Amino acid sequence: MKKLLKFTPMFLLFIGLASCSSVKVAADYDREANFDNYKTFAFFKPGIDKAEINDIDKRRILRAIEAELMAKGYTKSQNPDMLVSIFTKSNQRVDIYNNAWGRGAWGWGGYGGWGWRTGWNNNQVSTTTEGMLFIDLIDADKKELIWQGSGTGSLETRNMEKKEARIKEFVSEMMLLFPPDKQ
């Protein structure tokens, strides 16, 4: 019992950190597609070229996707069953925090008499860039979308190691949903 109590705080911390992923992911897929038939993949250059992101980040994303697919047992091929494409979007997210405590109202306000008092009533504005990454998996023969994953999260990072880790986090969280579990 003492051993169990000893590891409980560490376990709770791990659960708390795991549940606080800062990337929101979703996936959609073609229910008619038989994902057991797909064994090989290649990148779809025309689709990737249209992604509005710099070439360095494209390569980071593609390396992360390739690593995830290979870890799942897929093989990169010149004659693939599946094509991989990406699409990116970014939005500015503006959060306004109103710290309206103190004298921010009509009424008697100390030295100035009757009227509007601003006091500690200040707004704080925070702006961050929120990015979306879409990974499209396309049936190579039919040229039809069979699976799409999307990930949304903050992109603000100037540190290259953190940026690369953030991209890997986006891709790995999304690829947890592939192949779909058809139940």
Side-chain angles (χ1 to χ4, degrees):
M1 185 65 166
K2 286 184 181 183
K3 286 183 181 181
L4 180 63
L5 291 175
K6 181 179 177 181
F7 291 106
T8 300
M10 190 176 356
F11 178 72
L12 291 175
L13 177 65
F14 175 74
I15 294 296
L17 290 174
S19 66
C20 293
S21 176
S22 57
V23 177
K24 294 177 232 144
V25 296
D28 195 10
Y29 63 94
D30 179 357
R31 293 194 183 276
E32 302 298 317
N34 184 353
F35 289 92
D36 293 333
N37 292 339
Y38 300 103
K39 306 286 184 218
T40 60
F41 72 94
F43 292 108
F44 185 62
K45 186 169 173 24
I48 293 167
D49 287 344
K50 291 179 186 175
E52 295 178 5
I53 191 168
N54 70 54
D55 288 343
I56 295 170
D57 285 340
K58 277 184 193 177
R59 285 193 299 271
R60 287 178 176 132
I61 292 168
L62 298 178
R63 281 193 300 262
I65 293 170
E66 183 175 331
E68 290 290 329
L69 286 172
M70 293 180 93
K72 291 178 180 283
Y74 295 90
T75 307
K76 196 170 179 183
S77 171
Q78 295 292 332
N79 187 22
D81 305 321
M82 197 169 47
L83 298 171
V84 179
S85 187
I86 62 170
F87 177 75
T88 58
K89 283 179 23 178
S90 65
N91 298 316
Q92 288 287 55
R93 179 178 169 163
V94 179
D95 293 315
I96 300 172
Y97 302 99
N98 185 352
N99 295 327
W101 56 279
R103 303 184 289 177
W106 284 98
W108 184 258
Y111 304 114
W114 188 259
W116 181 256
R117 302 294 166 227
T118 56
W120 298 300
N121 185 20
N122 22 339
N123 295 327
Q124 292 180 342
V125 179
S126 169
T127 305
T128 56
T129 302
E130 193 169 72
M132 289 188 78
L133 171 64
F134 295 88
I135 299 174
D136 293 342
L137 300 181
I138 303 160
D139 183 292
D141 293 330
K142 297 177 186 175
K143 305 293 189 256
E144 293 178 353
L145 183 67
I146 56 171
W147 184 88
Q148 182 179 65
S150 64
T152 306
S154 173
L155 296 177
E156 295 294 330
T157 182
R158 296 193 195 324
N159 179 306
M160 291 305 119
E161 288 81 25
K162 287 183 179 179
K163 188 175 192 178
E164 188 145 354
R166 186 75 171 142
I167 287 171
K168 287 179 182 178
E169 179 185 9
F170 261 76
V171 172
S172 67
E173 290 286 324
M174 290 166 53
M175 295 307 290
L176 285 174
L177 303 175
F178 180 80
D181 185 22
K182 293 183 177 184
Q183 290 186 14

